[in-house]
mmCIF file of all heavy atoms in Angstrom:
data_model
loop_
_atom_site.group_PDB
_atom_site.id
_atom_site.type_symbol
_atom_site.label_atom_id
_atom_site.label_comp_id
_atom_site.label_asym_id
_atom_site.label_seq_id
_atom_site.Cartn_x
_atom_site.Cartn_y
_atom_site.Cartn_z
ATOM 1 N N LYS A 146 239.919 -13.993 111.410
ATOM 2 C CA LYS A 146 240.122 -13.508 112.662
ATOM 3 C C LYS A 146 239.318 -14.266 113.677
ATOM 4 O O LYS A 146 238.087 -14.454 113.482
ATOM 5 C CB LYS A 146 239.943 -11.959 112.728
ATOM 6 C CG LYS A 146 241.010 -11.166 112.128
ATOM 7 C CD LYS A 146 241.040 -9.828 112.794
ATOM 8 C CE LYS A 146 242.054 -8.842 112.158
ATOM 9 N NZ LYS A 146 243.368 -9.228 112.442
ATOM 10 N N ILE A 147 239.946 -14.564 114.846
ATOM 11 C CA ILE A 147 239.192 -15.091 115.925
ATOM 12 C C ILE A 147 239.236 -14.104 117.134
ATOM 13 O O ILE A 147 240.292 -13.554 117.396
ATOM 14 C CB ILE A 147 239.911 -16.498 116.418
ATOM 15 C CG1 ILE A 147 239.915 -17.506 115.269
ATOM 16 C CG2 ILE A 147 239.147 -17.008 117.638
ATOM 17 C CD1 ILE A 147 240.675 -18.712 115.670
ATOM 18 N N ARG A 148 238.007 -13.900 117.718
ATOM 19 C CA ARG A 148 237.987 -12.942 118.868
ATOM 20 C C ARG A 148 237.801 -13.804 120.100
ATOM 21 O O ARG A 148 236.898 -14.577 120.202
ATOM 22 C CB ARG A 148 236.900 -11.910 118.626
ATOM 23 C CG ARG A 148 237.031 -10.996 117.433
ATOM 24 C CD ARG A 148 236.014 -10.005 117.167
ATOM 25 N NE ARG A 148 234.635 -10.620 117.291
ATOM 26 C CZ ARG A 148 233.658 -10.147 117.936
ATOM 27 N NH1 ARG A 148 233.744 -9.051 118.601
ATOM 28 N NH2 ARG A 148 232.523 -10.797 117.927
ATOM 29 N N LEU A 149 238.686 -13.605 120.999
ATOM 30 C CA LEU A 149 238.714 -14.382 122.263
ATOM 31 C C LEU A 149 238.591 -13.368 123.418
ATOM 32 O O LEU A 149 239.403 -12.428 123.609
ATOM 33 C CB LEU A 149 240.057 -15.191 122.396
ATOM 34 C CG LEU A 149 240.305 -16.163 121.342
ATOM 35 C CD1 LEU A 149 241.661 -16.757 121.626
ATOM 36 C CD2 LEU A 149 239.259 -17.241 121.286
ATOM 37 N N LYS A 150 237.650 -13.706 124.363
ATOM 38 C CA LYS A 150 237.492 -12.901 125.489
ATOM 39 C C LYS A 150 238.039 -13.543 126.654
ATOM 40 O O LYS A 150 237.907 -14.770 126.917
ATOM 41 C CB LYS A 150 236.011 -12.654 125.737
ATOM 42 C CG LYS A 150 235.774 -11.680 126.942
ATOM 43 C CD LYS A 150 234.219 -11.383 127.079
ATOM 44 C CE LYS A 150 234.035 -10.344 128.198
ATOM 45 N NZ LYS A 150 232.690 -9.959 128.306
ATOM 46 N N VAL A 151 238.886 -12.814 127.505
ATOM 47 C CA VAL A 151 239.468 -13.359 128.694
ATOM 48 C C VAL A 151 238.409 -13.409 129.800
ATOM 49 O O VAL A 151 238.017 -12.477 130.234
ATOM 50 C CB VAL A 151 240.732 -12.567 129.140
ATOM 51 C CG1 VAL A 151 241.361 -13.170 130.362
ATOM 52 C CG2 VAL A 151 241.789 -12.544 128.061
ATOM 53 N N LEU A 152 238.038 -14.632 130.176
ATOM 54 C CA LEU A 152 237.007 -14.797 131.210
ATOM 55 C C LEU A 152 237.648 -14.854 132.656
ATOM 56 O O LEU A 152 237.066 -14.270 133.600
ATOM 57 C CB LEU A 152 236.146 -16.081 131.047
ATOM 58 C CG LEU A 152 235.401 -16.145 129.721
ATOM 59 C CD1 LEU A 152 234.743 -17.508 129.530
ATOM 60 C CD2 LEU A 152 234.438 -14.952 129.567
ATOM 61 N N ALA A 153 238.795 -15.516 132.814
ATOM 62 C CA ALA A 153 239.395 -15.623 134.096
ATOM 63 C C ALA A 153 240.867 -15.892 133.906
ATOM 64 O O ALA A 153 241.308 -16.461 132.878
ATOM 65 C CB ALA A 153 238.827 -16.794 134.849
ATOM 66 N N ILE A 154 241.699 -15.397 134.871
ATOM 67 C CA ILE A 154 243.178 -15.615 134.921
ATOM 68 C C ILE A 154 243.361 -16.386 136.290
ATOM 69 O O ILE A 154 243.044 -15.815 137.316
ATOM 70 C CB ILE A 154 243.987 -14.324 134.831
ATOM 71 C CG1 ILE A 154 243.468 -13.590 133.622
ATOM 72 C CG2 ILE A 154 245.421 -14.636 134.909
ATOM 73 C CD1 ILE A 154 244.007 -12.173 133.610
ATOM 74 N N GLU A 155 243.992 -17.551 136.245
ATOM 75 C CA GLU A 155 244.343 -18.194 137.413
ATOM 76 C C GLU A 155 245.818 -18.466 137.502
ATOM 77 O O GLU A 155 246.458 -19.087 136.560
ATOM 78 C CB GLU A 155 243.754 -19.613 137.392
ATOM 79 C CG GLU A 155 242.134 -19.566 137.299
ATOM 80 C CD GLU A 155 241.538 -20.902 137.064
ATOM 81 O OE1 GLU A 155 242.219 -21.987 137.260
ATOM 82 O OE2 GLU A 155 240.327 -20.962 136.742
ATOM 83 N N GLU A 156 246.475 -18.060 138.526
ATOM 84 C CA GLU A 156 247.802 -18.288 138.781
ATOM 85 C C GLU A 156 248.077 -19.721 139.136
ATOM 86 O O GLU A 156 247.267 -20.365 139.753
ATOM 87 C CB GLU A 156 248.357 -17.386 139.932
ATOM 88 C CG GLU A 156 248.218 -15.971 139.599
ATOM 89 C CD GLU A 156 248.512 -15.069 140.872
ATOM 90 O OE1 GLU A 156 248.912 -15.519 141.941
ATOM 91 O OE2 GLU A 156 248.354 -13.844 140.727
ATOM 92 N N ARG A 157 249.256 -20.233 138.554
ATOM 93 C CA ARG A 157 249.621 -21.625 138.735
ATOM 94 C C ARG A 157 250.586 -21.718 139.826
ATOM 95 O O ARG A 157 251.705 -21.141 139.703
ATOM 96 C CB ARG A 157 250.023 -22.269 137.503
ATOM 97 C CG ARG A 157 249.063 -22.283 136.351
ATOM 98 C CD ARG A 157 248.016 -23.355 136.539
ATOM 99 N NE ARG A 157 248.681 -24.590 136.413
ATOM 100 C CZ ARG A 157 248.032 -25.729 136.556
ATOM 101 N NH1 ARG A 157 246.772 -25.820 136.773
ATOM 102 N NH2 ARG A 157 248.678 -26.897 136.357
ATOM 103 N N ALA A 158 250.348 -22.563 140.948
ATOM 104 C CA ALA A 158 251.365 -22.799 141.877
ATOM 105 C C ALA A 158 252.383 -23.868 141.407
ATOM 106 O O ALA A 158 251.962 -24.719 140.662
ATOM 107 C CB ALA A 158 250.606 -23.242 143.206
ATOM 108 N N SER A 159 253.565 -23.792 141.814
ATOM 109 C CA SER A 159 254.503 -24.800 141.431
ATOM 110 C C SER A 159 254.295 -26.138 142.102
ATOM 111 O O SER A 159 253.476 -26.117 143.043
ATOM 112 C CB SER A 159 255.971 -24.397 141.897
ATOM 113 O OG SER A 159 256.113 -24.412 143.235
ATOM 114 N N SER A 160 254.750 -27.224 141.587
ATOM 115 C CA SER A 160 254.393 -28.525 142.132
ATOM 116 C C SER A 160 254.859 -28.569 143.579
ATOM 117 O O SER A 160 254.278 -29.259 144.437
ATOM 118 C CB SER A 160 254.962 -29.662 141.300
ATOM 119 O OG SER A 160 256.375 -29.568 141.226
ATOM 120 N N VAL A 161 255.975 -27.945 143.903
ATOM 121 C CA VAL A 161 256.411 -27.967 145.322
ATOM 122 C C VAL A 161 255.499 -27.257 146.182
ATOM 123 O O VAL A 161 255.086 -27.699 147.297
ATOM 124 C CB VAL A 161 257.812 -27.228 145.417
ATOM 125 C CG1 VAL A 161 258.265 -27.093 146.852
ATOM 126 C CG2 VAL A 161 258.870 -27.998 144.687
ATOM 127 N N PHE A 162 254.988 -26.073 145.806
ATOM 128 C CA PHE A 162 253.999 -25.368 146.501
ATOM 129 C C PHE A 162 252.689 -26.134 146.633
ATOM 130 O O PHE A 162 251.975 -26.162 147.654
ATOM 131 C CB PHE A 162 253.738 -24.047 145.883
ATOM 132 C CG PHE A 162 252.796 -23.151 146.686
ATOM 133 C CD1 PHE A 162 253.082 -22.693 147.887
ATOM 134 C CD2 PHE A 162 251.563 -22.748 146.050
ATOM 135 C CE1 PHE A 162 252.212 -21.860 148.557
ATOM 136 C CE2 PHE A 162 250.652 -21.900 146.737
ATOM 137 C CZ PHE A 162 251.107 -21.464 148.065
ATOM 138 N N ARG A 163 252.369 -26.858 145.532
ATOM 139 C CA ARG A 163 251.032 -27.572 145.574
ATOM 140 C C ARG A 163 251.172 -28.815 146.534
ATOM 141 O O ARG A 163 250.244 -29.104 147.295
ATOM 142 C CB ARG A 163 250.742 -28.148 144.142
ATOM 143 C CG ARG A 163 250.154 -27.124 143.282
ATOM 144 C CD ARG A 163 249.542 -27.773 142.013
ATOM 145 N NE ARG A 163 250.450 -28.556 141.294
ATOM 146 C CZ ARG A 163 251.220 -28.119 140.277
ATOM 147 N NH1 ARG A 163 251.106 -26.892 139.900
ATOM 148 N NH2 ARG A 163 252.010 -29.001 139.588
ATOM 149 N N ALA A 164 252.398 -29.391 146.604
ATOM 150 C CA ALA A 164 252.611 -30.480 147.584
ATOM 151 C C ALA A 164 252.543 -29.917 148.995
ATOM 152 O O ALA A 164 251.957 -30.600 149.885
ATOM 153 C CB ALA A 164 253.983 -31.082 147.373
ATOM 154 N N LEU A 165 253.041 -28.716 149.165
ATOM 155 C CA LEU A 165 253.059 -28.105 150.512
ATOM 156 C C LEU A 165 251.641 -27.905 150.954
ATOM 157 O O LEU A 165 251.155 -28.131 152.041
ATOM 158 C CB LEU A 165 253.859 -26.797 150.585
ATOM 159 C CG LEU A 165 253.805 -26.035 151.833
ATOM 160 C CD1 LEU A 165 254.437 -26.816 153.002
ATOM 161 C CD2 LEU A 165 254.562 -24.696 151.642
ATOM 162 N N LEU A 166 250.823 -27.237 150.017
ATOM 163 C CA LEU A 166 249.412 -27.018 150.229
ATOM 164 C C LEU A 166 248.649 -28.264 150.500
ATOM 165 O O LEU A 166 247.820 -28.332 151.438
ATOM 166 C CB LEU A 166 248.774 -26.351 149.086
ATOM 167 C CG LEU A 166 249.009 -24.841 148.908
ATOM 168 C CD1 LEU A 166 248.436 -24.358 147.627
ATOM 169 C CD2 LEU A 166 248.541 -24.084 150.134
ATOM 170 N N ALA A 167 248.913 -29.366 149.748
ATOM 171 C CA ALA A 167 248.303 -30.628 149.940
ATOM 172 C C ALA A 167 248.433 -31.104 151.452
ATOM 173 O O ALA A 167 247.555 -31.657 152.111
ATOM 174 C CB ALA A 167 248.739 -31.635 149.020
ATOM 175 N N GLY A 168 249.686 -30.930 151.981
ATOM 176 C CA GLY A 168 249.914 -31.330 153.370
ATOM 177 C C GLY A 168 249.318 -30.405 154.365
ATOM 178 O O GLY A 168 248.950 -30.917 155.490
ATOM 179 N N LEU A 169 249.102 -29.173 154.050
ATOM 180 C CA LEU A 169 248.616 -28.248 154.989
ATOM 181 C C LEU A 169 247.130 -28.050 154.989
ATOM 182 O O LEU A 169 246.526 -27.536 155.896
ATOM 183 C CB LEU A 169 249.297 -26.855 154.770
ATOM 184 C CG LEU A 169 250.743 -26.785 155.034
ATOM 185 C CD1 LEU A 169 251.310 -25.442 154.605
ATOM 186 C CD2 LEU A 169 251.138 -27.111 156.448
ATOM 187 N N THR A 170 246.550 -28.363 153.906
ATOM 188 C CA THR A 170 245.093 -27.971 153.658
ATOM 189 C C THR A 170 244.106 -29.087 153.450
ATOM 190 O O THR A 170 243.141 -29.012 152.847
ATOM 191 C CB THR A 170 245.026 -27.110 152.397
ATOM 192 O OG1 THR A 170 245.446 -27.868 151.265
ATOM 193 C CG2 THR A 170 245.932 -25.822 152.578
ATOM 194 N N GLY A 171 244.469 -30.266 153.993
ATOM 195 C CA GLY A 171 243.574 -31.454 153.859
ATOM 196 C C GLY A 171 242.175 -31.204 154.198
ATOM 197 O O GLY A 171 241.217 -31.601 153.455
ATOM 198 N N GLY A 172 241.885 -30.375 155.120
ATOM 199 C CA GLY A 172 240.489 -29.968 155.539
ATOM 200 C C GLY A 172 239.796 -29.016 154.596
ATOM 201 O O GLY A 172 238.599 -28.717 154.716
ATOM 202 N N TYR A 173 240.673 -28.345 153.725
ATOM 203 C CA TYR A 173 240.092 -27.285 152.797
ATOM 204 C C TYR A 173 239.759 -27.860 151.424
ATOM 205 O O TYR A 173 239.438 -26.998 150.518
ATOM 206 C CB TYR A 173 241.007 -26.142 152.812
ATOM 207 C CG TYR A 173 241.152 -25.484 154.041
ATOM 208 C CD1 TYR A 173 242.275 -25.690 154.790
ATOM 209 C CD2 TYR A 173 240.147 -24.636 154.550
ATOM 210 C CE1 TYR A 173 242.414 -24.957 156.028
ATOM 211 C CE2 TYR A 173 240.257 -23.932 155.781
ATOM 212 C CZ TYR A 173 241.343 -24.222 156.520
ATOM 213 O OH TYR A 173 241.592 -23.536 157.741
ATOM 214 N N LYS A 174 240.084 -29.081 151.076
ATOM 215 C CA LYS A 174 239.924 -29.562 149.840
ATOM 216 C C LYS A 174 238.490 -29.254 149.215
ATOM 217 O O LYS A 174 237.524 -29.541 149.885
ATOM 218 C CB LYS A 174 240.067 -31.103 149.729
ATOM 219 C CG LYS A 174 240.051 -31.702 148.332
ATOM 220 C CD LYS A 174 240.527 -33.180 148.344
ATOM 221 C CE LYS A 174 239.713 -34.001 149.343
ATOM 222 N NZ LYS A 174 239.983 -35.380 149.350
#
Side-chain angles (χ1 to χ4, degrees):
K146 283 211 185 285
I147 299 172
R148 295 178 314 130
L149 302 172
K150 183 174 184 176
V151 178
L152 300 176
I154 304 168
E155 301 172 12
E156 296 171 4
R157 297 285 292 181
S159 71
S160 61
V161 173
F162 184 64
R163 286 193 303 266
L165 176 64
L166 280 177
L169 297 175
T170 61
Y173 295 104
K174 183 172 54 174

